[in-house]
Amino acid sequence: MELKFTLNEVPRVVEISADTLLLDLLRSMKCYSVKRGCETGNCGLCTVFVDERPVLSCSTLAARVEGRSVVTLEGLREEAEEYGAYIADEGAEQCGFCNPGLMMNAIALYRENPEATDDEIKEYLAGNLCRCSGYEGQLRGIRSYLEFKKGEVRHE
Amino acid sequence: MSKLSQKEYRVVTKPIRKLDAMQLVTGQAVYTDDVTPQDCLVVKLLRSPHAHALITDIDTEKAMAVPGAVAVYTYKDVPQERFTTAGQTYPEPSAYDRLLLDRRVRFVGDPVAIIAAETKEAAEMMLARVKVSYEVLPAVLDFHTAKDNELLVHPEDNWRSLCPVGADNRRNLVAHEEDSWGDLDKTFAQCSQIVEKTVHCKANNQAMMETFRTYCEIDTYGRLHVISSTQIIFHVRRIVSNALGIPKSKIRVTKPRIGGGFGAKQSVVAEIYPAFVTWKTKRPSKLVYTREECQIAASPRHEMEVHVKVGADAQGHIRAMDMYTLSNSGAYSEHGPTTVGLSGHKSISLYANQLQAYRFNYDVVYTNLQSAGAFRGYGAPQGIFAVESAVNELADRLGISPVAIREINMTREGNVIRSYYGETATSCALDRCLQRAKEKIGWDDTCLCTKVDDHTVRAKGMAIAMQGSGISNVDVGSATVRLTEDGGYALVIGAADMGTGCDTILAQMVAEMMECEMSDVTVYSADTDFSPYDSGSYASSTTYVTGKAVERACLELQEKICALGAGMLELPEEQVMFTADAVRSEDGSKAVSLTEIATKSMCGNTEALQVTATHSSPTSPPPYMVGMVELDIDIETGEAMVVNYVAVADCGTVINENLARIQLEGGIVQGIGMALYENVTYMKDGSIAENSLMEYKIPSRMDIGKLDVEFESSFEPSGPFGAKSIGELVIDTPVPAIAHAIYEATGVWLTELPFTPEKILEAVEQGGKYKNN
Ligand code: FES
Ligand code: FES
């Protein structure tokens, strides 16, 4: 079947089957930031935005994004670089495999709640597993980014 | 502190951002499945539903009739020479007991057929259409009954053990050893307090976020090119050569970024299958493990039962230790003979200061269960759980503080550690780590358990730990350093950065040695065609062993650069010196820049400005650490939550504090998972219950309170810049520290992992401390 949607702000028309998962479609369209870590919706590695809301692309049928706007980390380069630098300064990117999914949700968190407390950060990102970092470094990085952004707002 | 340790470094010891950090955090395509074609053959494995069976018939016809089917290979199609998939230096201590596919299947999940198809859909359809008939055999499922059981896991005649590890396939023995020192019986007889304990550590899954994956293709010269997520490119080359029966020179192995390893990828779990497909079909192919495969047929931690007996005099001097470890290797021998050794050598050795005798015996057995592998800690966490629990209990019975008993007995700098191959503790800041940890957590013996509210108590517990730095006299680390055209340096290594940051750490060493900036150093790793030989990244070896090779390569390269520079300056070599960006005459009056030297080296030059150095260490100096936990226990539900974990580690000079800190934090969280929830349980038929991340719970960020970590460095004279290792040590303390806290809260020592709410609740009831609640 034919699927029309917007991927990283570019209108696309692709041929899919009824059971194609959004995750597989996106990787086949060279959005390699989207990763698979499980088959059970537990890891958060496959997180993308559909109409600006974070969803698990492993648990979303591609057909469901008909007419919608899908954004992957490839479409958020600048934001990812600015934000990610704070994670990198903690050495918390580690193996990096969980990072794209984490960054998607971290960006969503910032957009929704730029004043988030540590507990709110943890809760918001609870679905993003990481086996390497022990989470603390990620938290430090996110916290410093949010603080930096607060400063920016004050300066404006 | 040694004088050298006070030296101010310019690049080493600085918390520098990882060279690949921004690529990773912005989600660039750098991993195996991102950098290899998507339109290659899809490889899938048909796996055995039985724990032990003989294949009586395989009908592949229907599978081959699927549109897009390319091949189905069975045991009839593969070479009949056995090999091991353990990534170890040849001759491997692990027995040669595997075939690519065997007529006998030995665990639920053992591969039965290799399937290759044009698409994933076709491959999946083929999986369902291969018809296999089995003669189901009784299986060895309990590792207690495996040794000398009449049921044999490996009855075959061509089973081979290359090293004298005490293996015997006719007895289901993967390894057996007896080691002792001093007069054990006499020493125990003189002890006034003896604690005996048996702990049971279940298998744990590595659960690295990137599952196993390998892509293979035939290169321009007709050779097999294996691109894989592996920690051990050179061992992969040898093992694929053994498995396929083709020369090593016909194989090239490269690794892109690795999405987590922890030792999982120190076994050749996936590589051999697509390698076989590509070699046979001469077409590119790829195998990506599902999470389920990663849970049931990968390389988990060895299940071990450790029995320990610790004896002390009335003053608390620990005089004797006796340990017996029974380790479950599963269906194959991978890493079985070697992991078990650490259960004793890295635990008994924590108490060298007053020890007068020890014995350490072990058996490692075959069973019809998933074969184990190399998981961070490599046997040490299991042994340390036993010894640290026993020492905590000993202190309790003697009425001594758990801190004090360590102060009396723990290994100190200068101690000869008999149970650690007689090595001397050349660098050890365990005493300072203990002191610092105690301050940080506010350790007070009189109040190790307090009430938080009417159903929650908060208890403290502690443990100490050690690991090694590489495998002494075995591991080989190499580095090639060359002057680049623009006057910078290229570092080529065979070690594998699996997120740990070794590319950056080794580059820091180059920058330090060559007096340049980090931006002047480029790193390339790893490729068996171009990298100098390195045994790979495991056994906490990379910083310590490969780092030393980097240091030496840099020194030699400076000499070469000086020689060429002296010629250009028309001065004798003795009269020039290497400075950051140039070679100068001694009096500084004349100089030729590195860029000029690099340019000159490309014209009418006969001496390559490139040095490869190789290092191996006769010792494996242990890093040490102390872990202290504050644990909240709900006495009504049995739920436990780590609210604060203090850890202070001595890994020698910390080369990059950020990266070392993340290792420490990450390892502690894995250790907490091991202590509280991670479990591999076998069903009656030998299959694994926790076959997904839904069933197999790893810690999420909601499960962890505060982590409060710090370094207390010693200076290791044999290490690069005084460094030891950090990568594995970090997982060793949470289990015994949490067991200790549970005891303080309940009055009961838990001995079987994981400490689930049910077990904790039982302990609460059994301990009877809260009867009136
Ligand atoms: S891949 Fe694990 S949640 Fe989507
Ligand atoms: S950094 Fe490896 S899984 Fe998060």
Side-chain angles (χ1 to χ4, degrees):
Chain A
M1 57 194 269
E2 194 185 86
L3 173 72
K4 280 194 191 149
F5 73 119
T6 313
L7 176 57
N8 296 326
E9 295 184 355
V10 181
R12 305 289 294 260
V13 183
V14 286
E15 197 54 42
I16 57 161
S17 29
D19 60 354
T20 303
L21 293 173
L22 182 57
L23 167 53
D24 294 321
L25 173 68
L26 292 173
R27 283 191 65 86
S28 75
M29 295 176 80
K30 299 199 170 14
C31 292
Y32 294 125
S33 74
V34 190
K35 300 281 192 273
R36 174 180 269 115
C38 69
E39 290 99 39
T40 47
N42 289 94
C43 73
L45 265 61
C46 60
T47 306
V48 300
F49 294 166
V50 174
D51 287 346
E52 302 196 0
R53 285 205 16 248
V55 301
L56 297 177
S57 63
C58 72
S59 316
T60 307
L61 285 175
R64 294 286 301 275
V65 304
E66 174 68 37
R68 296 171 179 235
S69 155
V70 175
V71 174
T72 69
L73 207 57
E74 280 83 359
L76 298 170
R77 266 234 69 149
E78 276 174 32
E79 213 166 337
E81 263 176 31
E82 185 184 55
Y83 205 151
Y86 284 81
I87 308 255
D89 279 337
E90 296 293 336
E93 72 291 336
Q94 271 274 52
C95 87
F97 206 72
C98 70
N99 290 5
L102 172 77
M103 289 305 300
M104 292 302 295
N105 267 329
I107 289 170
L109 163 78
Y110 168 68
R111 291 179 180 178
E112 259 177 56
N113 183 5
E115 309 262 314
T117 62
D118 281 7
D119 282 344
E120 286 169 333
I121 297 175
K122 283 189 179 187
E123 203 165 316
Y124 198 94
L125 301 174
N128 289 91
L129 292 181
C130 172
R131 187 58 157 168
C132 303
S133 74
Y135 302 114
E136 283 279 307
Q138 293 180 348
L139 179 65
R140 288 193 291 270
I142 291 167
R143 195 194 293 138
S144 337
Y145 176 74
L146 296 186
E147 266 157 31
F148 155 76
K149 287 307 248 187
K150 258 191 242 166
E152 247 188 5
V153 172
R154 272 200 296 274
H155 287 130
E156 267 162 20
Chain B
M1 246 203 268
S2 134
K3 260 203 193 123
L4 268 167
S5 65
Q6 284 152 9
K7 180 169 175 210
E8 269 298 310
Y9 295 117
R10 210 173 41 84
V11 190
V12 156
T13 71
K14 300 290 180 285
I16 285 167
R17 203 190 260 185
K18 246 164 62 180
L19 297 172
D20 52 347
M22 288 313 292
Q23 293 293 97
L24 300 186
V25 82
T26 57
Q28 304 306 308
V30 292
Y31 303 92
T32 301
D33 193 34
D34 308 340
V35 298
T36 56
Q38 302 298 327
D39 58 355
C40 57
L41 294 183
V42 174
V43 179
K44 292 263 171 206
L45 299 173
L46 179 68
R47 297 179 179 280
S48 165
H50 304 296
H52 194 192
L54 284 175
I55 298 168
T56 51
D57 189 46
I58 302 191
D59 182 355
T60 61
E61 210 173 301
K62 285 216 176 70
M64 285 305 290
V66 169
V70 173
V72 180
Y73 300 107
T74 72
Y75 71 91
K76 294 174 195 155
D77 305 309
V78 302
Q80 290 304 305
E81 279 291 313
R82 289 187 186 269
F83 59 95
T84 177
T85 59
Q88 301 176 311
T89 295
Y90 181 87
E92 299 95 328
S94 303
Y96 279 23
D97 56 8
R98 279 227 190 222
L99 294 174
L100 259 169
L101 297 169
D102 208 332
R103 194 177 156 227
R104 179 185 298 271
V105 286
R106 296 182 176 79
F107 72 97
V108 177
D110 214 1
V112 170
I114 308 171
I115 280 162
E118 302 289 351
T119 63
K120 187 167 157 241
E121 292 69 27
E124 273 160 9
M125 208 178 286
M126 286 170 74
L127 274 180
R129 299 209 178 163
V130 178
K131 213 173 149 285
V132 190
S133 311
Y134 298 94
E135 177 195 339
V136 179
L137 303 170
V140 185
L141 296 178
D142 179 356
F143 76 135
H144 298 98
T145 62
K147 186 177 164 184
D148 292 324
N149 194 311
E150 60 188 32
L151 277 172
L152 293 180
V153 179
H154 285 275
E156 63 274 7
D157 293 329
N158 61 351
W159 175 98
R160 281 202 295 148
S161 169
L162 277 52
C163 294
V165 295
D168 185 349
N169 61 325
R170 299 271 149 202
R171 303 181 60 198
N172 283 334
L173 264 186
V174 170
H176 167 84
E177 197 174 85
E178 298 178 6
D179 171 33
S180 64
W181 165 74
D183 189 336
L184 195 73
D185 292 340
K186 198 174 132 214
T187 317
F188 268 121
Q190 288 162 355
C191 288
S192 53
Q193 191 63 255
I194 292 171
V195 170
E196 276 194 72
K197 211 175 247 305
T198 302
V199 304
H200 182 191
C201 299
K202 304 290 204 58
N204 295 132
N205 268 307
Q206 313 238 9
M208 62 288 174
M209 283 297 127
E210 182 199 35
T211 60
F212 301 94
R213 49 201 60 200
T214 303
Y215 165 84
C216 293
E217 64 189 9
I218 301 292
D219 76 5
T220 320
Y221 305 101
R223 298 161 76 222
L224 177 67
H225 186 187
V226 179
I227 301 177
S228 191
S229 181
T230 178
Q231 301 169 222
I232 43 155
I233 53 164
F234 287 98
H235 294 333
V236 170
R237 183 174 66 179
R238 182 185 66 252
I239 292 163
V240 168
S241 148
N242 287 347
L244 271 54
I246 63 174
K248 296 179 193 72
S249 56
K250 289 259 181 262
I251 304 166
R252 172 182 176 195
V253 183
T254 51
K255 67 113 203 117
R257 281 297 99 178
I258 305 172
F262 318 119
K265 296 166 182 174
Q266 192 199 336
S267 289
V268 174
V269 173
E271 289 87 347
I272 48 179
Y273 306 108
F276 186 74
V277 168
T278 293
W279 192 247
K280 281 280 179 191
T281 60
K282 303 300 176 202
R283 295 183 56 186
S285 76
K286 194 184 316 194
L287 171 58
V288 176
Y289 265 41
T290 61
R291 177 58 59 188
E292 183 182 355
E293 287 178 296
C294 217
Q295 292 287 113
I296 65 158
S299 48
R301 188 180 299 290
H302 285 77
E303 176 184 27
M304 287 187 197
E305 196 172 83
V306 186
H307 177 84
V308 69
K309 185 172 157 190
V310 180
D313 64 18
Q315 291 74 46
H317 298 99
I318 296 175
R319 299 301 192 195
M321 280 211 206
D322 189 10
M323 181 182 277
Y324 169 75
T325 302
L326 176 66
S327 171
N328 183 358
S329 197
Y332 298 96
S333 152
E334 284 118 34
H335 297 282
T338 36
T339 40
V340 70
L342 278 70
S343 71
H345 298 303
K346 304 269 153 77
S347 59
I348 300 171
S349 307
L350 284 165
Y351 296 98
N353 203 34
Q354 307 288 344
L355 200 69
Q356 291 173 342
Y358 79 85
R359 180 168 62 181
F360 171 41
N361 294 352
Y362 58 72
D363 286 306
V364 186
V365 294
Y366 281 121
T367 56
N368 289 113
L369 297 167
Q370 172 177 211
S371 165
F375 188 175
R376 194 180 217 169
Y378 207 77
Q382 294 96 316
I384 289 175
F385 173 29
V387 165
E388 286 302 277
S389 294
V391 170
N392 280 328
E393 188 170 342
L394 187 69
D396 195 65
R397 287 214 216 150
L398 286 164
I400 304 180
S401 143
V403 170
I405 200 164
R406 265 86 183 188
E407 282 168 345
I408 301 171
N409 295 288
M410 70 190 172
T411 298
R412 306 239 170 196
E413 200 160 287
N415 279 164
V416 174
I417 317 175
R418 300 287 173 182
S419 52
Y420 195 62
Y421 325 107
E423 281 187 27
T424 301
T426 42
S427 57
C428 176
L430 196 46
D431 47 351
R432 280 188 276 134
C433 292
L434 183 60
Q435 188 53 36
R436 195 61 198 117
K438 200 173 108 179
E439 288 162 16
K440 279 169 89 77
I441 206 161
W443 187 275
D444 173 1
D445 292 314
T446 59
C447 131
L448 289 179
C449 183
T450 55
K451 239 175 156 170
V452 178
D453 56 40
D454 59 352
H455 58 98
T456 314
V457 293
R458 178 166 299 173
K460 289 197 182 83
M462 68 159 294
I464 64 174
M466 64 183 275
Q467 200 76 35
S469 302
I471 308 172
S472 49
N473 294 309
V474 175
D475 283 347
V476 169
S478 302
T480 300
V481 183
R482 76 168 169 267
L483 184 68
T484 59
E485 212 172 318
D486 47 9
Y489 300 94
L491 167 67
V492 188
I493 49 174
D497 192 334
M498 55 191 127
T500 49
C502 72
D503 286 359
T504 305
I505 281 167
L506 297 173
Q508 280 179 261
M509 294 184 186
V510 173
E512 187 70 46
M513 294 295 295
M514 304 310 283
E515 302 168 30
C516 65
E517 300 306 318
M518 279 298 278
S519 54
D520 296 326
V521 187
T522 50
V523 182
Y524 188 73
S525 91
D527 185 331
T528 52
D529 275 9
F530 301 110
S531 301
Y533 181 83
D534 194 292
S535 25
S537 288
Y538 57 88
S540 297
S541 63
T542 308
T543 298
Y544 177 74
V545 182
T546 309
K548 202 72 191 171
V550 168
E551 199 185 297
R552 284 195 13 223
C554 288
L555 280 176
E556 285 173 39
L557 182 60
Q558 282 188 3
E559 284 172 24
K560 288 201 166 200
I561 292 172
C562 281
L564 198 69
M568 291 168 76
L569 292 171
E570 295 175 342
L571 287 169
E573 269 176 56
E574 316 78 65
Q575 289 179 22
V576 301
M577 56 186 187
F578 180 90
T579 58
D581 55 352
V583 170
R584 290 171 209 278
S585 59
E586 267 180 337
D587 59 5
S589 63
K590 286 191 191 175
V592 54
S593 76
L594 289 189
T595 322
E596 288 168 310
I597 294 174
T599 307
K600 170 70 188 152
S601 76
M602 292 179 291
C603 177
N605 172 39
T606 56
E607 192 63 42
L609 290 184
Q610 166 171 324
V611 173
T612 299
T614 291
H615 181 69
S616 186
S617 172
T619 59
S620 174
Y624 301 91
M625 76 179 272
V626 174
M628 289 183 174
V629 69
E630 273 181 285
L631 188 75
D632 273 8
I633 293 176
D634 186 320
I635 52 173
E636 281 168 13
T637 64
E639 258 156 82
M641 158 96 183
V642 171
V643 286
N644 185 21
Y645 203 99
V646 166
V648 185
D650 161 25
C651 56
T653 302
V654 181
I655 304 291
N656 184 322
E657 186 156 334
N658 272 1
L659 304 186
R661 167 170 293 118
I662 298 285
Q663 287 288 309
L664 200 41
E665 292 171 345
I668 289 167
V669 170
Q670 282 184 351
I672 293 172
M674 185 179 172
L676 294 179
Y677 0 87
E678 294 183 35
N679 198 4
V680 172
T681 40
Y682 303 104
M683 313 299 278
K684 272 213 188 85
D685 63 355
S687 63
I688 288 171
E690 299 83 1
N691 61 3
S692 70
L693 290 184
M694 176 112 69
E695 310 285 340
Y696 189 83
K697 178 175 159 48
I698 64 169
S700 83
R701 69 191 79 224
M702 298 297 282
D703 300 318
I704 309 297
K706 193 170 128 215
L707 301 180
D708 184 3
V709 307
E710 205 174 288
F711 296 94
E712 267 298 330
S713 302
S714 63
F715 185 90
E716 171 48 45
S718 67
F721 307 95
K724 297 189 279 191
S725 79
I726 183 76
E728 293 188 276
L729 168 75
V730 294
I731 199 168
D732 294 337
T733 60
V735 168
I738 290 173
H740 185 196
I742 293 172
Y743 169 75
E744 292 298 339
T746 65
V748 175
W749 293 100
L750 291 187
T751 54
E752 188 194 64
L753 287 176
F755 310 136
T756 55
E758 296 75 46
K759 288 183 201 162
I760 294 176
L761 206 54
E762 219 183 284
V764 170
E765 273 155 29
Q766 213 184 312
K769 273 194 171 183
Y770 307 100
K771 283 247 164 72
N772 305 326
N773 274 79

